[in-house]
Amino acid sequence: LAKTTQPISMDSYEGQEVNITCSHNNIATNDYITWYQQFPSQGPRFIIQGYKTKVTNEVASLFIPADRKSSTLSLPRVSLSDTAVYYCLVGDGGEGYQKVTFGTGTKLQVIP
Amino acid sequence: NAGVTQTPKFQVLKTGQSMTLQCAQDMNHNSMYWYRQDPGMGLRLIYYSASEGTTDKGEVPNGYNVSRLNKREFSLRLESAAPSQTSVYFCASERTGESTEAFFGQGTRLTVV
């Protein structure tokens, strides 16, 4: 299983762009990179998934360099409601989440 | 569209008691999962079911049993609860296709005293 390393916590002011980087040095060829968001007392929620280069949706962007050994989740212009824990997951989408490990995530605190 | 529904939301058990956590999804997904999350920790996989009629152990299966009753329902049973099983339990189902996405329930907060 590919292990991921991400910062334990980050602080950001409202309106700023936040970039959370995840390191996954032993990512396998078939592995996808997925990010989840979790608010207190709720289950995690899917944010974005990618394999290489850049993926963008209405919530975030995911940047993946050519060697795929790291990835960066970018949240544009964060608000207080973006305060949450963000998990970086690496695994084979074809085999499902039984091959995926949730680490401790990055606790993002947005400051007014 | 309810998504993934877990019952109960809260439960207090005495050591040695048994109980079943219920989970149902209405998205016609094949795969379903049970996780536990201890305070300040990430989620750890207890059991999963890749399809109706199949179940497999995850990272922390000891002390638990599961039943995939049909495609919709996946239950988790604690036969003899222990204080170490105090945790928040999440059920999830998985959608595959353009992206592989897990949909989580709201969780069951279990306290064993």
Side-chain angles (χ1 to χ4, degrees):
Chain A
L1 297 177
K3 179 179 169 60
T4 61
T5 303
Q6 52 184 123
I8 294 173
S9 64
M10 294 179 68
D11 292 337
S12 176
Y13 287 103
E14 266 191 301
Q16 289 189 329
E17 178 184 76
V18 171
N19 295 310
I20 306 175
T21 296
C22 179
S23 172
H24 28 80
N25 290 318
N26 60 340
I27 187 169
T29 304
N30 293 335
D31 285 343
Y32 283 75
I33 300 155
T34 312
W35 286 80
Y36 278 78
Q37 175 191 56
Q38 186 179 26
F39 297 114
S41 301
Q42 294 188 25
R45 186 181 71 167
F46 176 94
I47 301 175
I48 197 165
Q49 184 178 76
Y51 183 80
K52 61 180 179 181
T53 63
K54 176 184 174 182
V55 180
T56 298
N57 61 23
E58 64 277 6
V59 177
S61 294
L62 178 59
F63 298 91
I64 306 169
D67 66 6
R68 303 199 330 121
K69 293 184 182 299
S70 67
S71 59
T72 299
L73 175 72
S74 181
L75 304 172
R77 299 180 300 281
V78 294
S79 64
L80 295 177
S81 62
D82 292 315
T83 294
V85 177
Y86 292 82
Y87 296 97
C88 166
L89 313 179
V90 171
D92 180 0
E95 291 187 3
Y97 279 77
Q98 61 266 35
K99 298 290 188 181
V100 171
T101 301
F102 282 81
T104 53
T106 297
K107 187 171 185 177
L108 173 65
Q109 180 70 50
V110 180
I111 306 164
Chain B
N1 188 350
V4 178
T5 303
Q6 292 183 233
T7 55
K9 288 185 170 53
F10 301 93
Q11 184 71 47
V12 178
L13 290 178
K14 293 182 178 178
T15 298
Q17 285 186 318
S18 63
M19 80 160 294
T20 299
L21 281 64
Q22 307 287 351
C23 175
Q25 53 96 4
D26 61 2
M27 295 170 283
N28 202 37
H29 294 161
N30 287 321
S31 296
M32 296 184 72
Y33 302 82
W34 275 106
Y35 294 89
R36 62 176 287 175
Q37 185 173 35
D38 299 327
M41 305 291 288
L43 282 75
R44 291 186 292 171
L45 182 63
I46 305 172
Y47 269 94
Y48 65 94
S49 170
S51 62
E52 185 179 350
T54 68
T55 61
D56 284 288
K57 295 178 180 179
E59 180 186 356
V60 289
N62 291 342
Y64 306 96
N65 285 302
V66 291
S67 295
R68 184 72 183 269
L69 306 170
N70 47 55
K71 194 169 186 179
R72 290 187 66 248
E73 298 171 289
F74 189 36
S75 62
L76 178 72
R77 182 160 179 84
L78 286 72
E79 291 292 351
S80 178
S84 61
Q85 294 179 304
T86 293
S87 189
V88 180
Y89 291 84
F90 289 102
C91 176
S93 69
E94 176 191 299
R95 180 187 72 187
T96 57
E98 195 170 307
S99 64
T100 303
E101 179 177 345
F103 293 82
F104 287 81
Q106 289 296 301
T108 295
R109 188 173 297 273
L110 175 68
T111 302
V112 183
V113 298

